[in-house]
Amino acid sequence: MNQEQAVAAAEAAREEKEVPPGAAVADVEQCFIELGDPDPEKPSPVRDVRAWLVRYHFQGGRWVELAVDDKTGQIVRVRRSR
């Protein structure tokens, strides 16, 4: 997967992942992230995933970051500013 494909996958998931309509892609980077069970109270093995981090900015510095799995194109993590 290249950067353009990662952004296209993130754009396709915007509504489902509740990215605000006015948010714009501000940064894209490829890196390894650690993923475990979504429930932080449940111990689980952690795996390293090569992902594209697509960050959207909106409303005075707030952001939403979608992590797109490099192999599958699936959104594997969503992080939001507070």
Side-chain angles (χ1 to χ4, degrees), residues 21-82:
V25 174
D27 189 35
V28 181
E29 75 173 286
Q30 187 181 44
C31 62
F32 283 94
I33 62 173
E34 293 180 341
L35 293 178
D37 192 289
D39 181 0
E41 299 297 318
K42 181 179 177 184
S44 68
V46 174
R47 62 187 172 101
D48 290 332
V49 175
R50 180 184 225 161
W52 288 90
L53 304 180
V54 180
R55 184 173 281 198
Y56 293 88
H57 284 196
F58 63 100
Q59 293 180 341
R62 295 178 59 203
W63 53 267
V64 175
E65 181 182 86
L66 303 182
V68 181
D69 186 316
D70 186 62
K71 287 184 182 177
T72 67
Q74 299 297 310
I75 306 301
V76 293
R77 183 177 74 190
V78 178
R79 293 190 330 173
R80 300 176 189 283
S81 63
R82 297 181 188 241

